[in-house]
Amino acid sequence: MISRLLRTGVIPWAIVLIIWSLAASLSDPQFLPGPIAVWQGALDLTQDGSLFLYMWVSFLRVISGWLLGNIVAIPIGLLIGRIPVLRALVDPIINFVRFIPPLAFITLFMLWFGIGEQSKIFLIMYATFFIVTINTITGVQAVEEDKIRSARSMGASETQIMFHVIIPATLPYIFTGAKLAMGSSFMAIVGAEMVAANEGIGYMIWNARLYFKTDWIFVGLVILGLMGFIMDRLFNQFGKVLLKRYNVVKE
């Protein structure tokens, strides 16, 4: 029974809620609201539907930028990892730009792409691109040379080697990079929505400070965690079902 509760995560979360409630009872509600106050704040935000709207807007921004970032990064990473000359040319640039955090580009992206959805989606694409690209390059370089030589000795073309040897062997690295990039996407969207947005969870958190609604801030934090957790679980399930043969996700 206890092991089952541990596997489902009931006991750890119960411990967190107990510690949170005890800490909240010893502090000012404006400083640290308790779980009940946060729940009431969530109910207040759902009365006019604003919480669901903010969740939907943030979700669309994250999933759009994350998907586009993966679509661009994966083929580029495969090419860079497979072509040594190309890798030598772009590796210094990648390892320079990737250390510039996405939030540092918010002002420039607003200037280049406007204050609408494009700037936020491109910011998430930037947050996704380098993580997925570097993981893909690492995966390509990790492919055993014997496998490539064996395929080549049997008459496989470079295109066939790419699709039947390189990509299947690299999928676990790509999958890991996409998962890590998902977390970076949430960090990027919160920063973007705090600076230039009229909707979204980041906007809600930033706007709550004007009214000293600490409970709304905690609602936003909990919602972000739930959204990320659910997306991660769904992505894991995708890996188990559709990529099972490639041993992408361990059972």
Side-chain angles (χ1 to χ4, degrees):
M1 181 65 178
I2 295 177
S3 62
R4 185 181 302 174
L5 290 174
L6 284 171
R7 285 198 300 270
T8 57
V10 173
I11 292 179
W13 282 114
I15 294 173
V16 169
L17 289 174
I18 291 171
I19 295 175
W20 182 6
S21 299
L22 290 174
S25 65
L26 300 174
S27 64
D28 188 329
Q30 290 292 334
F31 178 75
L32 179 63
I36 296 176
V38 172
W39 175 254
Q40 185 59 52
L43 293 178
D44 294 340
L45 287 166
T46 57
Q47 288 181 356
D48 60 355
S50 58
L51 181 60
F52 299 117
L53 173 63
Y54 293 157
M55 290 171 60
W56 178 245
V57 169
S58 292
F59 170 76
L60 285 181
R61 289 167 177 166
V62 169
I63 200 68
S64 299
W66 179 76
L67 285 175
L68 290 172
N70 278 281
I71 290 171
V72 174
I74 292 171
I76 290 178
L78 290 170
L79 289 174
I80 294 173
R82 191 76 185 109
I83 304 173
V85 174
L86 184 60
R87 186 165 63 250
L89 286 173
V90 302
D91 186 71
I93 299 173
I94 289 177
N95 283 289
F96 173 81
V97 180
R98 75 184 180 94
F99 286 104
I100 304 175
L103 298 183
F105 280 100
I106 289 180
T107 304
L108 283 176
F109 279 25
M110 288 171 56
L111 179 65
W112 293 340
F113 306 112
I115 60 174
E117 297 302 304
Q118 289 181 336
S119 59
K120 300 171 185 61
I121 291 174
F122 275 107
L123 191 71
I124 297 170
M125 283 183 63
Y126 174 86
T128 301
F129 176 81
F130 291 100
I131 297 174
V132 178
T133 300
I134 291 171
N135 274 270
T136 303
I137 294 171
T138 302
V140 174
Q141 293 180 304
V143 178
E144 297 176 6
E145 190 64 29
D146 289 345
K147 293 181 179 180
I148 299 174
R149 290 174 181 170
S150 297
R152 190 176 289 124
S153 68
M154 289 187 289
S157 65
E158 290 300 317
T159 301
Q160 290 173 323
I161 291 173
M162 174 64 77
F163 282 97
H164 297 286
V165 179
I166 303 295
I167 292 178
T170 309
L171 274 175
Y173 293 85
I174 296 174
F175 189 85
T176 301
K179 285 192 67 174
L180 293 173
M182 194 178 291
S184 297
S185 298
F186 273 91
M187 288 189 286
I189 193 55
V190 169
E193 288 177 345
M194 285 182 173
V195 174
N198 293 320
E199 294 173 328
I201 298 297
Y203 165 78
M204 185 189 79
I205 293 174
W206 188 248
N207 199 46
R209 84 194 196 284
L210 300 175
Y211 306 100
F212 298 100
K213 298 289 292 182
T214 315
D215 54 339
W216 288 9
I217 296 175
F218 273 83
V219 170
L221 297 177
V222 172
I223 291 298
L224 286 171
L226 285 174
M227 288 173 62
F229 179 80
I230 292 171
M231 287 179 65
D232 182 76
R233 295 300 96 186
L234 291 175
F235 192 51
N236 268 351
Q237 196 62 33
F238 165 80
K240 288 179 181 179
V241 174
L242 297 181
L243 304 176
K244 184 178 181 179
R245 61 177 293 190
Y246 300 110
N247 198 30
V248 167
V249 179
K250 304 292 184 181
E251 295 291 345

